[in-house]
Amino acid sequence: MREVKLESIVLPRGWELKAQRAIEAGHQHVNKHDGVWKACKGPLKALSHDKCYYCEIVQERSDNAVDHFRPKSLYPWSAFRWNNYRFACTYCNSRRRDSENDRTGGKGDNFPLLDMNKRATCLEEEEEECPLLLDPCQPDDPGLIDFDESGEPSPTYSREESETRHLRAVVSIRLYHLDHQDLVDRRKALANKLVRIINVADKLLPHAEKGIPGVDASFQEHIRSLAEAIQPEAELSSFSRRILEGYRYLRWIQNLIEKVS
């Protein structure tokens, strides 16, 4: 998960008027106006470089959809609010069972709260809620999930450090299906690739400093590959950055991370 700056969205021409008409039609007719949120799919995809907001996979592995962060079944008044939309893959957005590890995930219509008694009954009351699901459009939330080279996601904070932050990460990993085995395997394969590049580049570094053209060119090519992996548009770029963070003790890795923000 990586922060998505939703406020930068460019809405289709005339979208606000269509959304207003859908709102005026009444909550009971929400699904008859699905074209309103479907029209935002392109602009939402553009913000994340075609990646699912939750798992950060470029969308080839499933149908993609406009997810209502606050489900329209529970929050019909927010069904036509663009800032409630997230671009999501089927694995993260729909309930399904992962047969390889017998885990069921997918957000569906789930929207758990820290205090379920404070469920909003209107738009104004949403500010009083404390959602358990992490929101990729909030700058602090993506950093609450950590990874290691095995590809498995885990909470950044222990229960002792912050019970609420720990719980939010646990719930989000499960409901966004971030521990789906296919996704874990893809992260692990990427980690192995990055580690190989790091090891080779570090061995090349002493020789590259001697001004040998071929060696220096090879070293620079490895650096370029690592830099590309942590660019915002790269698939699983936040995971790649986490892997590189584990090698910050190498000065050249530290410089690379600081250079590619």
Side-chain angles (χ1 to χ4, degrees):
M1 187 182 294
R2 171 175 202 127
E3 182 190 359
V4 177
K5 298 185 184 299
L6 193 61
E7 66 275 9
S8 299
I9 192 171
V10 178
L11 295 169
R13 186 185 299 273
W15 185 88
E16 292 90 342
L17 179 58
K18 292 180 180 178
Q20 185 57 41
R21 288 174 178 169
I23 292 172
E24 292 171 354
H27 296 167
Q28 66 273 24
H29 300 298
V30 165
N31 289 323
K32 292 183 179 180
H33 298 273
D34 60 351
V36 173
W37 59 78
K38 287 180 179 179
C40 290
K41 182 186 293 186
L44 290 167
K45 285 177 64 176
L47 291 178
S48 66
H49 308 282
D50 295 351
K51 296 186 292 184
C52 171
Y53 284 19
Y54 304 123
C55 69
E56 221 194 338
I57 291 290
V58 174
Q59 279 321 289
E60 297 173 350
R61 69 182 191 135
S62 67
D63 295 333
N64 47 68
V66 175
D67 173 48
H68 290 73
F69 181 64
R70 281 182 165 83
K72 58 185 183 295
S73 60
L74 299 174
Y75 302 85
W77 55 85
S78 288
F80 305 108
R81 290 174 57 229
W82 62 264
N83 57 2
N84 189 42
Y85 299 157
R86 311 289 183 265
F87 179 63
C89 69
T90 302
Y91 286 80
C92 293
N93 190 40
S94 303
R95 298 292 292 169
R96 62 177 59 209
R97 177 175 167 270
D98 179 1
S99 58
E100 288 194 45
N101 54 27
D102 199 28
R103 297 169 182 163
T104 299
K107 179 172 174 279
D109 286 341
N110 289 286
F111 196 74
L113 305 173
L114 186 62
D115 184 349
M116 296 296 283
N117 294 317
K118 290 187 177 180
R119 176 80 68 191
T121 59
C122 62
L123 178 61
E124 292 71 25
E125 292 179 2
E126 287 183 7
E127 294 184 358
E128 304 302 317
E129 295 182 336
C130 181
L132 287 181
L133 282 175
L134 298 177
D135 184 0
C137 298
Q138 295 296 329
D140 185 55
D141 283 8
L144 301 189
I145 294 178
D146 196 8
F147 303 93
D148 59 24
E149 292 182 10
S150 73
E152 287 281 355
S154 61
T156 300
Y157 288 81
S158 67
R159 188 176 288 105
E160 291 71 28
E161 290 174 314
S162 175
E163 186 171 356
T164 298
R165 289 187 166 208
H166 177 86
L167 177 61
R168 293 188 69 207
V170 169
V171 170
S172 297
I173 289 169
R174 175 173 55 84
L175 287 184
Y176 290 143
H177 223 168
L178 300 181
D179 57 357
H180 190 284
Q181 193 59 50
D182 287 349
L183 188 51
V184 170
D185 290 344
R186 290 184 74 158
R187 291 197 203 101
K188 184 176 181 179
L190 177 56
N192 290 339
K193 176 183 176 181
L194 294 173
V195 171
R196 285 197 301 269
I197 294 173
I198 291 171
N199 288 336
V200 171
D202 199 49
K203 290 178 180 178
L204 287 171
L205 179 59
H207 304 288
E209 291 176 338
K210 295 178 181 178
I212 304 174
V215 175
D216 185 62
S218 180
F219 175 74
Q220 294 300 331
E221 184 60 32
H222 283 77
I223 296 295
R224 190 173 296 109
S225 296
L226 295 174
E228 289 174 352
I230 60 176
Q231 294 285 351
E233 61 269 24
E235 187 173 74
L236 296 173
S237 58
S238 58
F239 173 72
S240 295
R241 179 173 288 271
R242 177 64 186 86
I243 297 302
L244 264 63
E245 289 281 355
Y247 293 83
R248 258 188 184 271
Y249 59 87
L250 299 173
R251 181 62 62 86
W252 62 272
I253 287 284
Q254 181 177 337
N255 292 340
L256 176 62
I257 293 172
E258 292 174 353
K259 181 179 178 180
V260 183
S261 59

